[in-house]
Amino acid sequence: MIEEQYQNLKIESVIFKGVRLTGSEIEKRLLLESLSKITTLNKNKFIESLAYHFKDWLKKETVEESVKFFHKKSSSLQIPNNPETTISIMSYLIISLRRIAQKHYCDYNFDSTDLIEIESTKEFEVAKSIMYDYGNQERIIIPDVEIIYFSFYLISQRLMFSASDDHSISVPKELKDGVMKALKLLDQIYHLNFSEDEQLFSGLIMHLARDMYPLLFNFYIENYFITTIKKEYIQGYYMAVSFANDLKKSLHLHLPENEIGYIAIHFASFIERSKTKNVKIAILTSRHQSAGYLLKKELERRYTNASITTPICDKANFNEDSLSEYDLIISFGPISLQQQNIVAINGIPVEENYRMIDNIMKKMNYVFVTKIDYFTKKKYNNKENLLKDLLLGIGAPKMLESILDREEFSTTDISDGIAIPLDNCQ
């Protein structure tokens, strides 16, 4: 669990003495909180579960009183009143108050400018109100640093949203530079203008500026929609994975799968904006009208927002001015035109022709390219053997190590038993 959560903790075991965790205080608490996850959502049952998990610390009556007290606070602070929220926050509070009472405090790793940014958030206001009231109830003095960490926890749980919060957070220069560097690397991979899209850039930096501190301290980012995002926004999700991988290299900031899901929404929005460009394609069929018709149908299947026409002209009789309005011209046979983006096809279209068209479309900010490379009905006992066979099928066995690295970085399943383990550089 420590390895999966990227926590900087170690387990020490001494015979006849016991087992203990060593490392930062906040990561110890987060590990304990993850161990106390409760799946039942029935009100009475989750109180019993909380009492069971913390039976050496609290009596059931005390847990009931604490939950009642929290519900009073949550209604006045506009916190969602549902079992999932109550369970998460109560587990965190029980662990934190226990540790504070034992004088185990979180480390103070912030400078003064960080504190100003955190104090401007709604989460800080809520954390301060809850922590102080619980501290008074338990007769415990709550250090300011505990409120800051509790703020990080509330941010990670995605409980409160306020448009005004985003404008009050200034973005660190290193984050801006890291995001821009990652977007420029994506430009090269996808042949798209990510780095020139101001809406994408500003959306990413404002989102990450808010999540940066929870991420730096390995808080679990909650995302109840991750399965839907991976299923509905496949292209955006894999762009987000590449982006997260590049950001980790430049900023040493690890983005977990749930956070990548939120980043994917920004890229999905970019894709939708790109699709508004209606790519106009002309197919000059000449004597190959049947092949031209089949090519038109195939391109319409591949590029859902392309406008494809077959003007009545051929290489011997055409008006160059009338073709200047098209973004791409495909001619059956050679043609002399002073124009970019021309593909000449000799006879029936072959795979090389489609590759040329795909490359041109990508350069014109058109993203969705559908292509089935390889499929199998064989059964496999493990993932590695399946990947080996698939890579042999498409003639790319050398990609195995890269794909396994990609699997370790973030799972590639998109639900319903489907996975798309793309190589990082594809």
Side-chain angles (χ1 to χ4, degrees):
M1 289 183 70
I2 290 170
E3 288 178 358
E4 287 177 359
Q5 296 177 26
Y6 292 89
Q7 290 170 325
N8 299 311
L9 297 173
K10 290 184 180 179
I11 300 173
E12 288 186 357
S13 176
V14 179
I15 297 174
F16 302 126
K17 287 191 175 182
V19 179
R20 71 174 180 181
L21 288 172
T22 61
S24 76
E25 174 63 24
I26 187 60
E27 293 193 276
K28 290 177 186 177
R29 295 186 195 178
L30 292 175
L31 181 64
L32 288 174
E33 194 261 343
S34 67
L35 289 168
S36 65
K37 288 292 183 186
I38 300 167
T39 55
T40 179
L41 300 181
N42 179 280
K43 182 178 178 181
N44 294 326
K45 291 290 184 183
F46 82 66
I47 289 176
E48 289 179 8
S49 297
L50 278 171
Y52 170 77
H53 279 293
F54 300 106
K55 61 185 176 183
D56 294 331
W57 295 1
L58 298 171
K59 293 180 180 179
K60 183 180 176 182
E61 295 78 14
T62 307
V63 173
E64 289 177 340
E65 289 175 9
S66 295
V67 171
K68 285 180 182 177
F69 182 74
F70 174 75
H71 280 150
K72 287 181 181 178
K73 291 293 298 180
S74 63
S75 60
S76 63
L77 294 170
Q78 297 181 327
I79 298 174
N81 185 12
N82 56 58
E84 298 98 321
T85 300
T86 303
I87 288 167
S88 296
I89 296 180
M90 285 304 306
S91 294
Y92 182 90
L93 284 172
I94 290 170
I95 293 167
S96 295
L97 292 169
R98 170 80 174 186
R99 298 293 289 175
I100 294 168
Q102 296 174 334
K103 302 191 183 304
H104 295 292
Y105 304 119
C106 289
D107 301 327
Y108 194 95
N109 293 324
F110 317 96
D111 60 35
S112 57
T113 56
D114 296 332
L115 294 179
I116 294 169
E117 303 304 334
I118 298 303
E119 288 176 359
S120 67
T121 64
K122 185 178 179 182
E123 284 83 358
F124 182 86
E125 293 176 20
V126 171
K128 186 177 180 179
S129 177
I130 291 176
M131 273 287 197
Y132 278 168
D133 282 358
Y134 267 102
N136 291 334
Q137 189 182 53
E138 300 294 326
R139 297 180 181 178
I140 300 171
I141 297 174
I142 306 295
D144 290 343
V145 68
E146 295 291 346
I147 297 169
I148 295 169
Y149 276 105
F150 190 29
S151 305
F152 295 161
Y153 182 79
L154 294 176
I155 290 172
S156 72
Q157 293 297 298
R158 291 295 193 278
L159 301 175
M160 287 152 274
F161 297 92
S162 173
S164 61
D165 285 348
D166 289 342
H167 300 293
S168 63
I169 297 176
S170 63
V171 181
K173 184 178 183 302
E174 59 269 23
L175 179 61
K176 288 182 180 179
D177 293 343
V179 168
M180 181 54 70
K181 184 179 179 181
L183 290 177
K184 286 182 177 179
L185 287 171
L186 284 186
D187 289 348
Q188 300 170 21
I189 295 171
Y190 288 94
H191 305 290
L192 297 170
N193 299 322
F194 296 99
S195 60
E196 296 177 13
D197 191 292
E198 291 185 8
Q199 187 173 334
L200 176 63
F201 177 68
S202 62
L204 287 171
I205 60 173
M206 294 310 298
H207 178 93
L208 288 168
R210 186 178 176 79
D211 283 2
M212 192 165 69
Y213 292 105
L215 290 169
L216 285 172
F217 293 101
N218 289 322
F219 280 80
Y220 178 80
I221 300 292
E222 191 63 74
N223 188 343
Y224 297 110
F225 310 105
I226 183 65
T227 301
T228 302
I229 290 169
K230 293 173 74 173
K231 190 175 181 179
E232 299 296 328
Y233 306 112
I234 299 174
Q235 186 82 7
Y237 181 77
Y238 283 101
M239 288 175 175
V241 168
S242 297
F243 171 82
N245 202 14
D246 293 330
L247 202 65
K248 184 179 180 181
K249 293 174 184 175
S250 60
L251 288 182
H252 305 290
L253 182 65
H254 171 74
L255 304 188
E257 184 174 69
N258 283 354
E259 180 69 7
I260 291 173
Y262 288 115
I263 297 298
I265 296 173
H266 291 274
F267 283 100
S269 176
F270 169 84
I271 291 169
E272 289 302 312
R273 291 196 301 278
S274 299
K275 283 172 65 178
T276 59
K277 179 180 179 181
N278 190 28
V279 181
K280 297 184 70 175
I281 302 175
I283 300 176
L284 307 183
T285 59
S286 186
R287 292 178 291 105
H288 302 275
Q289 292 184 4
S290 296
Y293 175 79
L294 294 176
L295 174 63
K296 181 175 183 289
K297 290 298 180 184
E298 173 61 18
L299 295 183
E300 285 174 342
R301 183 185 72 81
R302 290 183 176 223
Y303 313 109
T304 57
N305 207 47
S307 173
I308 305 171
T309 57
T310 53
I312 303 174
C313 59
D314 56 33
K315 61 178 182 289
N317 178 28
F318 65 86
N319 183 338
E320 187 168 345
D321 291 336
S322 67
L323 296 178
S324 62
E325 63 184 88
Y326 292 98
D327 300 297
L328 170 61
I329 297 172
I330 302 171
S331 170
F332 282 83
I335 186 171
S336 57
L337 273 177
Q338 301 299 317
Q339 192 168 330
Q340 293 181 333
N341 297 337
I342 298 174
V343 176
I345 297 175
N346 186 17
I348 301 298
V350 295
E351 188 60 33
E352 184 181 351
N353 300 133
Y354 285 116
R355 275 199 298 271
M356 290 177 64
I357 294 170
D358 286 347
N359 288 334
I360 291 173
M361 294 295 279
K362 286 178 182 177
K363 289 177 182 177
M364 290 191 294
N365 273 7
Y366 202 84
V367 182
F368 286 99
V369 178
T370 305
K371 180 172 175 289
I372 298 174
D373 285 314
Y374 184 77
F375 62 90
T376 177
K377 291 184 179 179
K378 293 181 182 179
K379 293 185 178 180
Y380 296 89
N381 294 324
N382 62 66
K383 178 169 64 180
E384 192 166 332
N385 288 337
L386 168 64
L387 291 173
K388 283 180 181 177
D389 230 10
L390 287 171
L391 291 172
L392 285 172
I394 63 172
K398 294 181 179 178
M399 288 170 59
L400 179 63
E401 185 178 350
S402 177
I403 288 179
L404 291 176
D405 288 343
R406 165 66 182 79
E407 285 284 318
E408 187 176 341
F409 185 76
S410 171
T411 61
T412 57
D413 67 286
I414 59 170
S415 79
D416 298 331
I418 300 168
I420 306 178
L422 296 178
D423 176 62
N424 286 339
C425 10
Q426 296 301 304

